[in-house]
Amino acid sequence: MKTIIMAGGKGTRIASVASDIPKPMIRICDKPILLRQIECLKKSGLTDITLVIGHLGHVIKEYFKDGKDFGVKISYFEETTPLGTAGALFKMMEKNELNDDFLLMCGDTILDIDFNRIISFHKQKNSLATLVSHPNSHPYDSSLLVTEILPPKIKGGLPEDTKKVIMWMNKEDERKWYKNRVNAGIEVISPKLLEITKKNFVPRHPENPDKIDLDRDVLKPNVGTGRIFAYDTPEYIKDMGTPDRFYQTEKDIINKTVENRNLSKKQKAIFLDRDGTLTKDVGFVRSPEQLELAEGAGDAIRKINNSGYLAILVTNQPVIARGDITFEELEEINRKLETLLGKDGAYLDAIYFCPHHTDKGFEGERIEYKCNCECRKPKPGMILNAAKDFNIDITKSFMIGDSKADIECGTNAGVSKSILIDENKNILDAVSEIIGN
């Protein structure tokens, strides 16, 4: 599969770090960002690369040439006038240079991901575009993706997140509670999507009709096709376009957080209970208004995010089986949780919940969820499912909770250690016990 890297950025926000070279050529830990991307692509067998260049593009050409010295094949598309984030794609299509699905990415992103997983997902979904999504520490000023949630197909089952994108939320769009699913700026795209767009395209820049924005002109308008999907990953993807993010990324490279997050490698996680651990214990939570973060929760999750561990929520939610709330209402409650954490610069890598309960006799209960399942704590099902999804080494992972069931769940799963929250120890204390101060 061909890879196209948009490498024409000027880097105005990061001028204090480097201002005399193209943004993708800024060195981080003595290696250009663009070279780090190419090395990552090469690990996944992606060696056919086109660099779209503009501002100071000759610097990139002189460094990489035809790519032979780096074990890849590099060609160039040079913009003589700014074409936006997608204009070059349409020019390349007109020249019959894009006849097959291709990988597209920005040249200013530090990443280390398993591209083969993304490509496999794209083919499985028969997608017009697969958008890589991930949680980040600033979802409030990021473009967010909303995907389709279908009701359970079988008795006792869970709702299915089909990963089909049904809504695109730009930074300026009004939002209240939202899932931290950020568009990461990495896509696998079918030329068919460009053809569909071209038929209906109305230039937003009459003075430069060839200037096309990928998000606003290509992806967002075609969400209605039902063939645009989100591929979620906790792997390391960071736009280092500001000095603060640059220096944080530098630290992450040095301590190997970047490379170790690649899902081809075994991960380690801190599994967390919700009620009474991550949030204040108010009994059964039946509405977003009842949910509040526990003391130290934002700091604790941010500490996990910066440590190399995944932060994964595993929570029993018998309120579903009891008939107290619907799946949709639980989703809204968890969206508030993610929103509050995001405002604290923290995020969860995944949320797993069990809606089942064995006790019967509640008014309005849902009999189809009254069962002896494998996911309700103290059984280890949620942890085992997360381990499968994210290639987690459970023996190097931890469980934090406020009940005997939480501790037994960790033990039954085989985690390294389970830590109990009580009146003398909050979530930040527990995380510090694992990671250190």
Side-chain angles (χ1 to χ4, degrees):
M1 179 177 287
K2 177 187 283 291
T3 300
I4 300 173
I5 302 178
M6 295 295 181
K10 291 185 177 181
T12 53
R13 292 181 301 162
I14 199 169
S16 63
V17 175
S19 59
D20 58 344
I21 57 174
K23 189 176 178 183
M25 291 302 291
I26 293 175
R27 288 180 174 267
I28 184 164
C29 293
D30 202 35
K31 185 180 291 187
I33 298 165
L34 192 52
L35 177 55
R36 290 183 178 278
Q37 291 186 338
I38 289 172
E39 289 175 343
C40 185
L41 290 165
K42 187 179 173 183
K43 283 192 297 184
S44 292
L46 299 170
T47 58
D48 183 3
I49 300 168
T50 295
L51 301 180
V52 178
I53 57 175
H55 176 68
L56 298 176
H58 66 279
V59 176
I60 296 175
K61 267 189 171 183
E62 290 169 3
Y63 186 91
F64 288 103
K65 300 181 175 62
D66 62 3
K68 185 177 180 180
D69 292 342
F70 303 92
V72 296
K73 176 186 174 184
I74 294 179
S75 58
Y76 297 88
F77 180 94
E78 189 164 2
E79 294 185 350
T80 54
T81 58
L83 297 177
T85 51
L89 303 180
F90 289 86
K91 294 293 185 181
M92 294 170 71
M93 185 175 68
E94 291 171 3
K95 296 179 180 179
N96 292 318
E97 295 176 3
L98 292 179
N99 298 315
D100 299 305
D101 293 6
F102 58 92
L103 174 68
L104 178 66
M105 47 198 280
C106 299
D108 59 358
T109 304
I110 290 293
L111 52 79
D112 199 321
I113 58 182
D114 186 348
F115 289 106
N116 290 321
R117 282 181 173 237
I118 303 165
I119 293 169
S120 176
F121 175 92
H122 176 79
K123 291 179 179 178
Q124 176 191 350
K125 294 292 187 180
N126 189 28
S127 178
L128 286 175
T130 294
L131 317 181
V132 176
S133 59
H134 66 137
N136 75 11
S137 60
H138 51 101
Y140 47 82
D141 69 355
S142 301
S143 294
L144 302 176
L145 304 176
V146 180
T147 57
E148 176 186 59
I149 308 292
L150 295 180
K153 293 181 180 178
I154 59 174
K155 180 179 179 180
L158 296 174
E160 179 192 5
D161 186 342
T162 66
K163 308 298 183 183
K164 181 186 295 183
V165 177
I166 58 173
M167 185 183 299
W168 185 296
M169 298 170 65
N170 288 325
K171 299 176 185 180
E172 66 274 14
D173 290 342
E174 184 177 351
R175 55 181 81 168
K176 186 176 182 182
W177 311 130
Y178 47 83
K179 184 176 180 63
N180 190 336
R181 179 182 267 132
V182 175
N183 177 29
I186 302 168
E187 301 87 11
V188 181
I189 296 176
S190 166
K192 294 178 184 177
L193 180 64
L194 302 183
E195 294 170 4
I196 293 170
T197 301
K198 189 175 182 180
K199 290 178 182 177
N200 304 308
F201 179 64
V202 177
R204 290 188 300 113
H205 306 278
E207 75 286 356
N208 185 5
D210 292 329
K211 187 176 182 179
I212 303 173
D213 184 86
L214 179 69
D215 291 356
R216 299 173 191 273
D217 296 328
V218 181
L219 297 175
K220 188 174 181 179
N222 286 297
V223 164
T225 63
R227 292 182 61 192
I228 295 182
F229 292 85
Y231 171 86
D232 293 327
T233 179
E235 292 169 296
Y236 196 100
I237 307 168
K238 189 183 290 291
D239 167 13
M240 39 59 64
T242 66
D244 286 348
R245 293 179 197 168
F246 175 89
Y247 292 119
Q248 179 60 53
T249 302
E250 192 172 48
K251 292 178 183 177
D252 292 339
I253 290 173
I254 292 170
N255 64 27
K256 296 189 181 301
T257 297
V258 177
E259 63 178 274
N260 288 338
R261 275 294 178 91
N262 190 300
L263 288 181
S264 65
K265 296 185 177 183
K266 280 290 183 182
Q267 303 298 302
K268 54 184 181 178
I270 296 179
F271 298 100
L272 306 141
D273 176 50
R274 193 187 79 180
D275 305 320
T277 302
L278 187 54
T279 63
K280 293 181 180 179
D281 188 358
V282 296
F284 289 128
V285 178
R286 297 178 174 88
S287 70
E289 288 71 30
Q290 291 178 280
L291 184 137
E292 295 181 53
L293 291 181
E295 181 183 356
D299 292 336
I301 301 304
R302 192 168 59 250
K303 193 179 186 75
I304 297 174
N305 298 151
N306 293 331
S307 71
Y309 284 89
L310 300 178
I312 297 180
L313 187 71
V314 288
T315 175
N316 286 347
Q317 291 298 321
V319 285
I320 297 290
R322 288 166 54 97
D324 293 339
I325 64 173
T326 64
F327 283 112
E328 291 78 11
E329 289 167 333
L330 176 60
E331 180 74 14
E332 182 74 355
I333 290 167
N334 285 334
R335 281 198 290 264
K336 180 180 180 181
L337 173 62
E338 293 203 68
T339 302
L340 294 179
L341 287 172
K343 289 180 178 178
D344 278 348
Y347 57 87
L348 295 169
D349 290 290
I351 295 177
Y352 292 80
F353 67 88
C354 169
H356 309 113
H357 200 282
T358 55
D359 296 348
K360 299 180 181 180
F362 301 98
E363 184 179 354
E365 67 185 10
R366 301 179 67 174
I367 299 299
E368 67 269 30
Y369 297 104
K370 297 290 185 176
C371 61
N372 186 15
C373 66
E374 293 302 316
C375 55
R376 179 173 171 80
K377 295 179 289 186
K379 291 186 177 181
M382 288 186 283
I383 289 180
L384 298 180
N385 286 338
K388 180 180 178 182
D389 291 342
F390 298 116
N391 194 21
I392 295 169
D393 184 344
I394 296 177
T395 65
K396 294 182 180 179
S397 300
F398 296 82
M399 175 71 203
I400 299 175
D402 70 324
S403 72
K404 181 180 177 182
D406 294 323
I407 303 308
E408 290 180 356
C409 174
T411 300
N412 292 335
V415 300
S416 175
K417 183 180 181 180
S418 295
I419 300 176
L420 182 66
I421 297 296
D422 56 27
E423 63 274 9
N424 298 314
K425 181 181 292 184
N426 66 21
I427 184 173
L428 181 56
D429 297 328
V431 170
S432 296
E433 183 177 327
I434 296 168
I435 297 171
N437 300 314

